[in-house]
Amino acid sequence: MVVKVLLLVIFFAVMVGIGVYCRTHAASVNGFVLGGRSVGPWLSAFAYGTSYFSAVIFVGYAGQFGWKFGIASTWIGIGNALLGSLLAWVVLGRRTRVMTQHLDSATMPQFFGERYGSNALRVAAAIITFIFLIPYTASLYNGLSRLFGMAFHIDYSVCVIVMAALTGIYVIIGGYMATAVNDFVQGIIMLFGIVAVIAAVLQGNGGFMASLDGLAKVTDPAVSDTPGVFNSFFGPDPLSLLGVVILTSLGTWGLPQMVQKFYAIKSEKAISTGTVVSTAFAIVVAGGCYFLGGFGRLFSDKIDISKGFDQIIPTMLSGLPDILIGLVVILVLSASMSTLSSLVLASSSTLTLDLIKNSFDKKMSEKKQVFIMRVLIVVFVIISVVIALIQYKSNVTFIAQLMGISWGALAGAFLAPLLYGLYYRKASPASIWVCFLFSTVFMICNMTMRSAFPPILQSPINAGAFCMIAGLILVPLISAFTPAPDKELVENCFSCYDKEVTVPQSESLGKGERRR
């Protein structure tokens, strides 16, 4: 217990210390929200990865989908690495950085307002962002509480309040730069932690081959009668597995707290490096989490699944040595605090810049804007803590369902407008409205009237994946039948990609001198 407490104290001290160290970067709006658009590749890549993977992944998703799909759940981690990280950086990274700077956009709603020439779209996007980030935040606390309860026997309320307070402190003091530096430290912990935990769990079951053999002997008639289905290549339900891969991989393309990482990156060279680093990080962390969760059924004699999937991973880890349990707690704490910091920063900046300043005080000074953002971080943290406590005591839903609702609504509403906004000149404002309304209404109905949906769409995971794919179809389809966007506005937006820039010869080969 002394070792575990000491690890926590050191961890918290480092996080707050980094916040204090980075305070000089948070004096202006650009510095507080985007780190002055000067964040290097390693910090950006780790900020992206640690914001991506949290307690929701490690405790909720890895446990639930490892139980449902067996070792095939590893495909979710592979999809996260290839689609959610590699392809996201390749497709969105450079164009997002260039156009958002050209339009002087610091938030996703601000980008929509400038790109589509509609202040109403900007306000609507800000409201959607604020509303649907809350259930995601509540799910972070819930997952962390399971591990704290297992390791320290601490009351859930204490876990939530301490984590929220400490995260709020370093974000309020140091802004985005403090978040990015902390994310780097937390990411290193996650990399080493997940490898150590996987090795320990498998060793406790006789090693990798023995664990795989044990999984092959597990049967569950309620899922499948096929022998060895839980250690098969695609598991017992490939279609549902595909839905999870789509939601958790493509979903990042439309999440404000994820896309914002591209706004802040320093240079084009940094984007190339960040792509590689981010993908490698995702392979280890996401692939490792789901791979570990795939062996959950080896512990079925200790798990009462009727009490929820969120207990699976903590049960798997409960027999580890104290030093490893302490490492696991720090690992999940790192993942959760990094994601929470991104969420509260995205929410506070959106409310300040896209609602308060944009609608009520257009001449607000930078100093006042930063102050309001800091106040709103406190407000947002308090709201999310209250909701997390209410959710826990009333046992409303599981972690994965909360995340599915949040990701489905946000990514369904924003993925297509962002992607087409960067690449497609004919996307009309009307098509963006349809995309916003369709996804948010669909996910709200899925949450409130789930039994009325077809069986495959009753899961918020599948419903969210459906919204994302539907948005990609709806925007070009509606654009073909609605008034075209203002031509001058579109040309101005896309002119940033044709702008000629001068770079040193050391960074670019001259025309006619390119390597063959």
Side-chain angles (χ1 to χ4, degrees):
M1 184 61 71
V2 173
V3 173
K4 289 185 283 190
V5 172
L6 184 61
L7 285 173
L8 279 181
V9 171
I10 294 173
F11 175 78
F12 289 143
V14 170
M15 296 302 103
V16 175
I18 289 173
V20 174
Y21 175 77
C22 295
R23 66 188 184 280
T24 55
H25 294 275
S28 66
V29 171
N30 191 40
F32 191 83
V33 179
L34 300 176
R37 295 187 190 264
S38 60
V39 183
W42 284 80
L43 290 184
S44 295
F46 273 71
Y48 186 90
T50 54
S51 297
Y52 195 164
F53 309 116
S54 65
V56 176
I57 299 293
F58 189 78
V59 179
Y61 271 30
Q64 176 172 343
F65 299 122
W67 186 271
K68 286 187 174 181
F69 305 124
I71 201 68
S73 63
T74 307
W75 282 110
I76 305 172
I78 295 172
N80 292 172
L82 299 182
L83 300 179
S85 294
L86 176 62
L87 199 60
W89 277 76
V90 170
V91 175
L92 300 179
R94 179 182 178 276
R95 293 183 79 91
T96 299
R97 174 64 173 82
V98 172
M99 188 178 282
T100 55
Q101 183 175 25
H102 176 66
L103 299 178
D104 195 24
S105 302
T107 66
M108 188 179 282
Q110 193 173 7
F111 169 76
F112 290 144
E114 297 294 332
R115 167 63 181 84
Y116 296 106
S118 171
N119 190 57
L121 273 176
R122 177 176 177 174
V123 172
I127 294 172
I128 293 171
T129 299
F130 179 70
I131 291 175
F132 287 99
L133 282 183
I134 291 176
Y136 185 11
T137 308
S139 68
L140 296 179
Y141 297 121
N142 196 0
L144 189 66
S145 72
R146 306 277 178 171
L147 289 174
F148 262 86
M150 177 266 290
F152 296 97
H153 306 291
I154 299 175
D155 182 71
Y156 173 70
S157 302
V158 176
C159 300
V160 168
I161 293 170
V162 170
M163 172 186 163
L166 289 168
T167 305
I169 287 171
Y170 78 70
V171 177
I172 289 169
I173 295 173
Y176 182 83
M177 188 60 76
T179 299
V181 176
N182 270 321
D183 286 348
F184 181 77
V185 175
Q186 292 161 350
I188 296 295
I189 295 171
M190 290 167 66
L191 286 172
F192 283 102
I194 192 65
V195 172
V197 168
I198 291 173
V201 170
L202 293 182
Q203 189 61 36
N205 285 278
F208 173 63
M209 294 308 298
S211 299
L212 208 57
D213 185 58
L215 201 61
K217 297 174 182 176
V218 174
T219 58
D220 186 349
V223 177
S224 175
D225 294 324
T226 305
V229 70
F230 293 110
N231 78 336
S232 62
F233 198 65
F234 289 120
D237 190 356
L239 189 60
S240 293
L241 177 62
L242 179 62
V244 178
V245 171
I246 292 173
L247 177 74
T248 60
S249 300
L250 282 182
T252 60
W253 294 37
L255 296 180
Q257 76 275 14
M258 300 297 297
V259 176
Q260 194 173 30
K261 303 298 185 290
F262 299 135
Y263 290 31
I265 199 164
K266 187 176 182 179
S267 64
E268 185 156 347
K269 184 179 179 181
I271 292 174
S272 301
T273 305
T275 302
V276 176
V277 175
S278 178
T279 304
F281 181 89
I283 289 174
V284 175
V285 175
C289 285
Y290 288 110
F291 177 75
L292 175 66
F295 293 96
R297 285 182 179 266
L298 295 180
F299 298 81
S300 56
D301 58 323
K302 302 176 183 178
I303 297 172
D304 181 3
I305 203 64
S306 64
K307 294 181 179 179
F309 296 108
D310 304 342
Q311 62 173 313
I312 295 173
I313 296 296
T315 301
M316 294 175 67
L317 304 177
S318 60
L320 297 180
D322 279 350
I323 186 67
L324 274 180
I325 289 179
L327 180 62
V328 169
V329 171
I330 299 298
L331 184 162
V332 180
L333 189 64
S334 297
S336 299
M337 289 180 70
S338 60
T339 305
L340 179 62
S341 64
S342 295
L343 293 174
V344 296
L345 190 59
S347 182
S348 65
S349 59
T350 293
L351 282 180
T352 302
L353 302 178
D354 299 309
L355 283 180
I356 298 174
K357 179 179 181 292
N358 180 56
S359 303
F360 303 106
D361 189 359
K362 294 183 182 295
K363 297 182 179 180
M364 186 186 300
S365 66
E366 287 218 1
K367 185 176 180 181
K368 188 175 181 181
Q369 290 175 55
V370 173
F371 173 76
I372 291 176
M373 278 189 275
R374 285 176 165 142
V375 172
L376 286 174
I377 286 173
V378 176
V379 172
F380 186 74
V381 165
I382 292 173
I383 292 173
S384 62
V385 165
V386 170
I387 291 178
L389 293 175
I390 292 173
Q391 185 274 328
Y392 176 77
K393 292 178 180 179
S394 59
N395 197 28
V396 175
T397 185
F398 296 137
I399 292 175
Q401 291 172 316
L402 280 174
M403 185 178 173
I405 292 166
S406 175
W407 276 41
L410 286 167
F414 295 158
L415 189 156
L418 173 67
L419 186 62
Y420 288 120
L422 297 173
Y423 283 92
Y424 185 52
R425 295 171 183 259
K426 296 181 180 179
S428 68
S431 69
I432 308 306
W433 276 112
V434 170
C435 194
F436 281 7
L437 291 171
F438 175 83
S439 295
T440 52
V441 171
F442 191 91
M443 291 308 298
I444 290 172
C445 290
N446 179 267
M447 181 172 59
T448 56
M449 301 183 295
R450 189 159 295 157
S451 59
F453 281 69
I456 194 171
L457 292 179
Q458 289 183 6
S459 162
I461 308 298
N462 293 340
F466 173 77
C467 285
M468 283 182 269
I469 294 173
L472 294 173
I473 298 171
L474 284 172
V475 169
L477 183 64
I478 300 299
S479 296
F481 298 99
T482 53
D486 181 76
K487 186 175 181 180
E488 185 177 347
L489 172 71
V490 173
E491 290 303 320
N492 174 61
C493 291
F494 280 85
S495 65
C496 60
Y497 299 135
D498 301 321
K499 191 180 298 181
E500 291 189 7
V501 296
T502 303
V503 297
Q505 181 71 48
S506 60
E507 295 183 16
S508 176
L509 293 174
K511 191 174 182 180
E513 300 176 13
R514 300 190 184 279
R515 291 173 182 167
R516 299 181 183 275

